[in-house]
Amino acid sequence: MFGLELELVNNSVCDLRELEYVAALHQTGRLLRKDGSIFDKDISRFFSSRYGIKITHDEVRLSLLKGFSGRKEDEGFIDLCELASALLIPFLLKANAAIYESPIHKLMVKKSVAPDVVRKYIGDGSSQAKDDPNTINSWEHKEFVRKCKLSTELTLRKSPKIISDVLTMMIHDSVGPVSSDHPPALEVRLLQRIFRTYGEVELSNDTNLLNEMIEVAAAGLGTVSSARAQDDGTQKPRLVLDTLTFIRALTSDVLLFDVDSELETTTNEHDVFNANLKAGGRFTSMYAEKIVDSISRRTAKTNCDNTDDLTLEEVEDPKSSNLKNSRPILKLFTSPGIDFFADTYRSKFLTCALWVGFLISYLSQIYFSASHAEQEAQSTYSTEVFLTTMRNWFFKGLTVGLVGLAYVGFGGLGNNMFVTSIMPSLAAIATIGGFLIKYYFWPNSDYSDPSEKQLRPVTYWVYTGTYYASFVIGFLIIFLHLVTLLRLAVLSCLKKKDRSSWFFSHPGVYDAARTKQAAAYKINRMVDNAHKVHQTFEKGQESEKLHGRALLNFGKSFIVKKGAKSQEIGPIWAWRQLFSGRIFYQEGIWLSSRAIAANVYQVVAIILLATWLTAWVIHQTTVEKAPRCTEELCQGNPCIGFCQDLASKVTTDTTSFYYLQYMKTCVELNCQCNGCGSVLPPISNNVMYIATSIGGFVALSTTLLIAFLYIPSYIITTLKYRSGVISSLKDDNFPDFRQAADNVTLLLGSAFWGLLATGAFFFFLVVIPVMLIADKNTRQQSLTFLTRIAGIFASLLIKVLFLCAVRRKYLGGFYRKYPAITNAIGLFIECWNIYLAAAHIIQRVVRLILASIFHIGRIDTPLLTEKGINPTTLDALPQIFRQDILVHEAHRHPYIDLLGKVFMYKLRYEERFVHTAGSAWRMLFTLALMPWLRKYRVFHRKLDDDDDGEDDTKTEGENKNILTGMNNSNFKKITYLKKEYAKVRESKADLEKELAQCKESYEEEIAALKEWIKHLEENTCVV
């Protein structure tokens, strides 16, 4: 319905499309890298935009990405397969805990061995009640039970089986079927076979990496089968590759990641930097700009609810956490109160209230005020008119922009997720209070003069409504800031139970927590769907390679959606999911404040339209109507001569009926004299009520429908991108959305004025015909015209019914059942259509006009084109609507949110989090579970892949060459060629060294053979 239908399918194909979508969002260059690779520039810009963390490209390449792949440090990128393996870290840690808690493991392993991952919330919460029965009814116990249930919901129950099945597939495809009771020995040769099975030849030849992988798997609880003799005569246990060894290898380097943090109502920044303080790592932060050095930049002072493991003493005294020598993290000042890209403010409600308050203030003080009349030029058509109009629009627009910056910008101070001071909220209250004082004592209007009310009565009533509404919204904003002040004043004195109440809740943190839960839910669903692909096979496929069989089943999923869950969704489904909250904590849809404010703007437009229509109808039915103008009343008026000239062209007989009727009509429509002046014929009150009632009903119904569809369109369009219905990584026009991201600022005004335009057009489109039909003077002509139109459409309907009967009998697809008869009928119909084509054109004009008027207010749906944003696009607003979705998805998509959390762990702990060996194990797991990601493996970085024409952090050498006139891209190519030449020289030296060693060994062997032959000749008896 209305272009919002979608069949939402749950299978691995859609999961792959979502991974491609995430890669397309994360890329920032002008070109689209269809392999899905993410470069150091992309990650650096993401950290700057999303978290306000300033990190250079070199630091990303040499520190942050170190350990995520086995490439050289100067390449600095990760591919889509490595991205997926990083996203699987929380799932693998939860699987580790589940395996160690399984009964089989407890029988195999000694009780004294502690598990690697310890979950805080396990089971149904009954264990805490057994330990302390007095806490059953306490708030802490209820919260513990809630988190236990949530932990069970976000943990895939069959995760141990999935780990075991993936290991079985890896071993089966590399060395053949092996019994689970006798797992193979974990040796370099086995790892080489596994890597080569999945096409990782380069990694299979890296013996250092293979040995590190074995050491990682052997640490801790490696399973041994028997001892083997070493070169020095000692006995070393033989390590086998079973489920315990495998899960240990997958998670040994990421144990610092807290999987239980997804159950807490906290942000990712808090989970990484404010938790587990004793583990050390990079902790403190400081501003990168000198202008804001005086502001507290310490991440530990983040104001979040449910801070269980952070105390004030630990924050103020980092020595207690061994953080004295930690390198600080540079932070950028992001103005979070007005951060409409990442939505880092505390309350969306306050932000929307600011936008609505600014709109109402603008309408009451500028647009609908009596002093809004533009300065007119003296002449009618001249350069002066052009310059005056341009000056009026430009300077008034500039004034509105500055007022909005003050109202929304300064009025949003204190709406910060990390604010700890009361000064921003006090400044915001002072700003809004100043606006209200100005509106009250110095209103920008002249409606105190009674003549102004009589001159513009309709606008006066609209102005009055917006004027008083601006005070209501302003006091609401002040109240919300007072709530923030009260919260900051008493938060440190409240218990956790009181902090979680609705009055002291933290909406921004709550939304971030739901995004974390959605990431866990979606990762579990992706793993489960991939596992189902392996479980499905047909007869005769038992002996095939398991990953090959999985690829075959995956390919069939593109055509046959066998076993996949699907459902038809639409606007009603979107609203139900929105009110239930499932769209947030399961799908992870981030409903931006701009989308909410645009929808509220549409509601405001509907209210204004209803107010304006009501005032207009009351005015039209109560005002005294002047009589019609006649020749007698307008004697001497220039319009009489004008009408006489026109009438003389019709007939020269001034006494004929046609001449007199033409003069009467012309004078009524064109003359405005003393005592008369109704340009249109006077209309009775009954006719006015009937026409405006029908027109108002149609206009308001249409605008309500458009406003009802806006939020569902936002949700469903997001799901279309994620499921691949709207292409992303494979779409050549997708990079157009990255250009000019500031275009999204057009949405709020377009949502408001577009809906007003649609309502006004539909109102007059209905009112004028109804008034013409209802008025007795024009009723006969109007009914005759409408009857003719109805006859035309009836003839078209008869033709359609005739064609339906003919098609069913004589046509079958593109083929004719009876060629001769079909040819004759086709000739007859074609000649018939030559005459009826005019009726078709009339029908097309009516339909296109109605559809165009309807889509003036529907800025969320394209009417004319599906292309990206470019100068040839006739209607760019629907594409800007999608651009706004993509901007917020690039910051708030659950996968990107989780990936940013993993990167922040790496940023804090550096070498202690994510090693190359562990990443190699997770890469094998990902390729075995999802072998269709193999085509996205990128082993080496190309020179022109990230040449986006700009460089955020140019080195000193680059700047020097730019100053001397050298082209930056040429400098990059020269630098690249120098590096490649150095690599060639090193490889040449290595080859020469190996050749010399081989030559020496061959000479030694030849000398030994000569001595042996000589010895044989001396000791041989000749017969």
Side-chain angles (χ1 to χ4, degrees), residues 170-228:
M170 292 168 53
I171 296 175
H172 178 277
D173 291 344
S174 57
V175 298
V178 176
S179 174
S180 58
D181 297 332
H182 299 85
L186 181 56
E187 299 175 343
V188 173
R189 185 179 302 176
L190 175 63
L191 291 178
Q192 287 179 335
R193 290 184 177 181
I194 295 176
F195 272 117
R196 289 169 183 171
T197 299
Y198 296 103
E200 301 291 329
V201 179
E202 185 174 349
L203 295 180
S204 67
N205 295 327
D206 191 348
T207 56
N208 294 329
L209 174 62
L210 300 180
N211 289 325
E212 290 179 5
M213 293 175 64
I214 295 175
E215 293 177 0
V216 166
L221 292 178
T223 306
V224 297
S225 59
S226 61
R228 58 179 180 178

Side-chain angles (χ1 to χ4, degrees), residues 275 342 555 620 626 635 892 952:
Q620 292 295 326
Q635 287 295 334
R892 291 290 189 171
D952 299 338

Side-chain angles (χ1 to χ4, degrees), residues 637-646:
N637 195 290
C639 70
I640 299 296
F642 173 75
C643 290
Q644 289 175 349
D645 293 338
L646 292 179

Side-chain angles (χ1 to χ4, degrees), residues 752-762 853 856:
F752 177 77
W753 293 111
L755 202 67
L756 279 180
T758 298
F761 274 118
F762 269 104
I853 294 175
I856 289 175

Side-chain angles (χ1 to χ4, degrees), residues 261-277:
S261 61
E262 66 189 21
L263 309 175
E264 305 290 346
T265 310
T266 54
T267 62
N268 285 332
E269 300 97 307
H270 178 274
D271 296 338
V272 176
F273 296 110
N274 288 22
N276 196 14
L277 299 181

